Amino acid sequence: MERTLENLEAINEQLSQRYEEVQQEKEALIIENHRLSKVQGYPMQPVSIDSRGSIRFEENPIISHLAREVSNLNDIAIWCAVNEVDAKYQEQLAQLIGYSVSGYGELSYVSDESFERAARLAEVTNADGKHREVA
């Protein structure tokens, strides 16, 4: 019995250490995301896990409503192409309407850098189920 208790205490210590490592990694990624947001001129939308277990950008309900009611997404994509709208704005729209992170990576206008940032945030979110932006 005493040996089992020692084993459990050792496992608990290992888990506590790993938790601290994940928290430090998370904080480093949040700080890096904030720094990159300043370089790109807009923040990366936070990500979270939805009710089906998909990791997606947190939706801005106002933008989602506008995207549904004013037009459909194909019309917006065509308008962006015709008007040569910079891809960074299309990336931001996809985030604001709550695109899944995996689907975001498949969009033709999403840069590798932007998807890699989102994927790193998704990894951290998947580890603890939450993400927060740095002010």
Side-chain angles (χ1 to χ4, degrees):
M1 183 71 154
E2 189 174 309
R3 185 164 171 80
T4 303
L5 183 58
E6 289 173 3
N7 288 343
L8 289 174
E9 288 173 348
I11 290 170
N12 188 42
E13 179 63 30
Q14 291 172 346
L15 288 173
S16 293
Q17 288 175 352
R18 182 62 188 138
Y19 177 80
E20 287 301 316
E21 290 170 2
V22 167
Q23 292 303 327
Q24 289 173 0
E25 291 171 13
K26 177 183 174 182
E27 287 300 315
L29 286 172
I30 291 170
I31 291 167
E32 177 67 3
N33 182 46
H34 183 65
R35 184 190 69 75
L36 288 171
S37 295
K38 289 181 178 180
V39 171
Q40 283 188 326
Y42 62 90
M44 175 74 63
Q45 192 72 357
V47 296
S48 59
I49 300 173
D50 71 10
S51 61
R52 295 182 311 212
S54 296
I55 298 175
R56 61 179 58 252
F57 293 101
E58 291 182 11
E59 170 186 1
N60 177 316
I62 297 168
I63 301 301
S64 290
H65 173 75
L66 291 172
R68 281 190 308 270
E69 298 299 321
V70 173
S71 183
N72 70 47
L73 294 179
N74 290 330
D75 289 343
I76 293 171
I78 292 167
W79 182 86
C80 288
V82 168
N83 291 286
E84 299 179 3
V85 173
D86 192 309
K88 71 180 183 180
Y89 299 111
Q90 295 176 69
E91 290 175 351
Q92 188 179 29
L93 177 62
Q95 294 173 28
L96 290 171
I97 63 172
Y99 233 84
S100 71
V101 173
S102 60
Y104 181 74
E106 296 174 7
L107 296 171
S108 62
Y109 50 81
V110 172
S111 68
D112 290 342
E113 178 187 40
S114 183
F115 175 66
E116 288 168 10
R117 283 178 61 203
R120 286 194 308 268
L121 288 175
E123 286 175 18
V124 171
T125 299
N126 202 24
D128 72 0
K130 299 179 250 181
H131 169 70
R132 66 173 176 76
E133 273 298 327
V134 176

